[in-house]
Amino acid sequence: MGTLTDLLTLVATEPTLLPPAPLAAVTDSTHLDHRRLDEVHTCLGCGQRAHSALVAETKIGPRWLDLCDECTYRLHQEDDAQ
């Protein structure tokens, strides 16, 4: 895998790779907490179990972005470096 930024670029061009998130998840942490605590999802970055649930705004609406702690950290590091 390239960088997580590369991954997000792919997601931006092909958002159907991610499951749709409810519009309310953008503003309501209850949806985020339920997804990360009560459901099991695979990290989009590395394939390990995801512990973070983020909502990506895409051209076709909000989509779930499930990441493990390490990939979430790396994503923030890459974002800070830009």
Side-chain angles (χ1 to χ4, degrees), residues 4-6 26 36 38 41 77 82:
L4 286 170
T5 301
D6 294 337
V26 176
R36 70 182 185 82
D38 300 333
H41 298 280
Q77 291 297 103
Q82 293 182 1

Side-chain angles (χ1 to χ4, degrees), residues 12-38:
T13 58
E14 192 52 58
T16 58
L17 295 172
L18 300 176
L23 287 174
V26 176
T27 57
D28 182 3
S29 64
T30 304
H31 291 279
L32 294 170
D33 290 342
H34 174 72
R35 185 161 181 96
R36 70 182 185 82
L37 297 173
D38 300 333

Side-chain angles (χ1 to χ4, degrees), residues 1-74:
M1 176 185 93
T3 66
L4 286 170
T5 301
D6 294 337
L7 179 64
L8 292 180
T9 300
L10 174 63
V11 167
T13 58
E14 192 52 58
T16 58
L17 295 172
L18 300 176
L23 287 174
V26 176
T27 57
D28 182 3
S29 64
T30 304
H31 291 279
L32 294 170
D33 290 342
H34 174 72
R35 185 161 181 96
R36 70 182 185 82
L37 297 173
D38 300 333
E39 299 178 1
V40 176
H41 298 280
T42 302
C43 175
L44 187 63
C46 69
Q48 298 294 323
R49 180 171 182 191
H51 296 285
S52 296
L54 307 169
V55 177
E57 288 292 336
T58 71
K59 61 187 175 191
I60 61 171
R63 306 301 257 193
W64 286 117
L65 179 61
D66 301 303
L67 297 170
C68 69
D69 292 336
E70 183 177 333
C71 287
T72 300
Y73 176 77
R74 286 183 27 222

